[in-house]
Amino acid sequence: MHIADIFTERGQTFSFEFFPPKTADSAASLFDNIAELIPLKPSHVSVTYGAGGGTRKVTHDLVVRIKQQTPLEVMPHLTCVGHTEAEIYDILEGYASAGISNILALGGDPPRNAPNYDRSLDAFRYASQLVQYIRKFKDRHAGTAIGDPRGFGIAVAGFPEGHPSTPNRVKEIEHLKAKVDAGADCIITQLFFDNRDFYDFRERCELAGITVPIVAGIMPVTSSSGLMRMADLAAGARFPARLLRAISRCNGRADATRRVGIHWATEQCRDLLDNDVAGIHFYTLNKSTATREIYASLGVETSLDLAADIPAP
Ligand code: FAD
C-alpha cells in the first residue's frame, strides 16, 4: 500500500526498522522476532541498506522474503552512495516487480573502510536527486510494473538535531524542503532522546512550508555498550544529561540499564502521542522485546490502539 494511503487509513503510522542479517542463524532469529512483532500490527516495516550499497542483495532478499512470508507492508531503504543510475534502475525494477510500494530514499554514507571514497562515481549526490529519479521511474514504466499511477511512495530522512555535514541549520531545512519538493511523501527522523528537539524541528519544517507528515525515530537504550554504538552511528544525536545520569545510576547493572532505557523511550512515545505525532518509527535492532515492552507500558495491544482517539476515562 502506498505510504500516503497508509497515513490516510491509519491516521498515524507505527513502523519497525530491521537490518539485513549477516548469517543464516541471525536470519532465523530475525524472523522469530518479526513473528513476535506481527501481533503489534505495525503500519509497515523497513529494511536498511548497508553503507556504500554493501547490502544490495541481502536487503533486496530480506524485503522480498518479508513481503512473501508475512502480512507486513515493507519499505526498503535505498542510498545514493555506491550506485550508478543503471544500478538504481535495476533495484527499483526489482522492487516494482516484487510488488513493493514504498522506498526510503537516502543520501547514504560512504563505507567505513573507504575514507577516500570517490562520490563522483555515484549517479546521485543528494537524496533529493534520488527522490526525483524515483518519481520519474513510474513514467518509464508507464505505471504497469508498480500498478499504482503515483509510482512508489517515498520517505526521506530528517535530522531533528541537525546533520553533521551541514552545520548551517537554516540551509539544512532548505535541503530537506528540496527533498519534499522533489516528491517525498513523508519524513522519518533520526533517533533522538529529547522530544523538545523533535517539536522544534517540526515547527521549523512548518515555517519552511514543509507539510508532509514527520515521523519520529525512537530507539531505546538497552545497554551501556549499545549507547556507545548509538552515539557512534546516529549522526548528530545528543544524549541528554538526565538520561546519562539515570543510566550511570544503574552502575553497570545490565537489567537496570535496560529498564531505564526502555522507560525513557516509553515516556518519549507517550509524550509524542499526546502531541499529535504523525507516526513513530522504532529502530528495533532486529529484536522484538524492547518494542513489545514499550507497547505494553503504553497500555496497548496493537498499533491500532495507539492511533485510536480514546475518550478520557
Ligand atoms: P541528503 O538529504 O542527501 O543530505 C546529506 C547532507 O547533504 C545533509 O547534511 C544535507 O543538508 C546536505 N545537502 C543536501 N542537499 C544539498 C545540496 N543541494 N547542497 C549542499 N548540501 C546538501 N544510511 C545508510 O547507509 N543506510 C540506511 O539504510 C540508512 N537508513 C536511515 C534511516 C533513517 C530514518 C535516517 C534518519 C538515516 C538513515 N541512514 C542510512 C543515514 C543517512 O544515509 C546518512 O545520515 C546520510 O549522511 C544522510 O542521508 P540523507 O538522506 O539525509 O542525505
Side-chain angles (χ1 to χ4, degrees):
M1 186 188 278
H2 193 287
I3 190 72
D5 296 339
I6 297 180
F7 276 106
T8 306
E9 190 181 288
R10 294 270 191 139
Q12 284 164 309
T13 61
F14 297 95
S15 48
F16 304 152
E17 180 176 302
F18 307 120
F19 60 83
K22 287 202 171 83
T23 63
D25 278 356
S26 47
S29 156
L30 170 60
F31 272 83
D32 291 344
N33 281 279
I34 290 178
E36 289 167 350
L37 287 168
I38 289 174
L40 300 184
K41 298 192 194 319
S43 51
H44 59 288
V45 299
S46 81
V47 177
T48 65
Y49 202 70
T55 63
R56 174 176 171 176
K57 182 158 167 26
V58 264
T59 294
H60 173 271
D61 292 353
L62 177 58
V63 166
V64 171
R65 187 170 166 205
I66 292 174
K67 171 83 184 167
Q68 289 175 347
Q69 296 182 5
T70 76
L72 301 171
E73 189 67 49
V74 52
M75 172 192 278
H77 299 198
L78 180 59
T79 64
C80 300
V81 170
H83 288 309
T84 63
E85 185 181 327
E87 285 168 347
I88 295 280
Y89 184 88
D90 285 348
I91 291 167
L92 294 176
E93 169 84 11
Y95 285 137
S97 32
I100 300 303
S101 306
N102 304 293
I103 308 269
L104 173 48
L106 297 148
D109 291 318
R112 289 185 160 236
N113 54 1
N116 301 320
Y117 182 84
D118 182 3
R119 291 281 332 249
S120 69
L121 301 174
D122 299 336
F124 307 111
R125 178 70 185 81
Y126 298 114
S128 54
Q129 297 162 325
L130 180 58
V131 172
Q132 237 163 22
Y133 186 79
I134 298 173
R135 272 278 159 266
K136 279 204 214 118
F137 179 79
K138 72 172 164 37
D139 303 334
R140 295 169 206 213
H141 267 270
T144 50
I146 301 168
D148 185 319
R150 291 165 297 183
F152 286 110
I154 305 174
V156 291
F159 294 81
E161 300 167 61
H163 187 276
S165 351
T166 306
N168 181 330
R169 300 281 160 254
V170 179
K171 272 260 174 285
E172 180 172 46
I173 296 288
E174 286 173 17
H175 296 151
L176 180 58
K177 174 114 181 359
K179 292 198 272 198
V180 174
D181 291 347
D185 296 288
C186 70
I187 295 165
I188 304 176
T189 76
Q190 176 66 289
L191 60 91
F192 58 88
F193 295 101
D194 187 335
N195 288 2
R196 286 173 304 179
D197 292 318
F198 176 80
Y199 300 138
D200 186 67
F201 171 70
R202 192 168 65 172
E203 215 175 316
R204 284 183 286 125
C205 287
E206 239 172 68
L207 290 169
I210 294 173
T211 56
V212 296
I214 303 178
V215 172
I218 293 290
M219 180 160 155
V221 172
T222 52
S223 66
S224 305
S225 55
L227 185 146
M228 286 314 287
R229 272 197 304 278
M230 283 156 94
D232 206 24
L233 291 173
R238 188 170 60 81
F239 292 78
R242 211 157 62 88
L243 172 61
L244 295 177
R245 255 200 316 271
I247 286 172
S248 70
R249 248 180 239 122
C250 303
N251 207 12
R253 285 169 300 131
D255 190 46
T257 305
R258 213 175 152 279
R259 261 182 289 135
V260 164
I262 290 175
H263 179 257
W264 184 281
T266 306
E267 286 309 305
Q268 276 192 277
C269 291
R270 200 190 306 284
D271 183 68
L272 288 164
L273 292 166
D274 289 346
N275 284 282
D276 294 325
V277 72
I280 301 180
H281 182 73
F282 291 90
Y283 293 96
T284 69
L285 292 181
N286 289 3
K287 300 271 185 268
S288 71
T289 322
T291 311
R292 288 189 291 123
E293 284 178 23
I294 291 173
Y295 273 59
S297 299
L298 290 170
V300 298
E301 287 178 357
T302 75
S303 305
L304 301 174
D305 305 327
L306 282 176
D309 264 337
I310 296 163

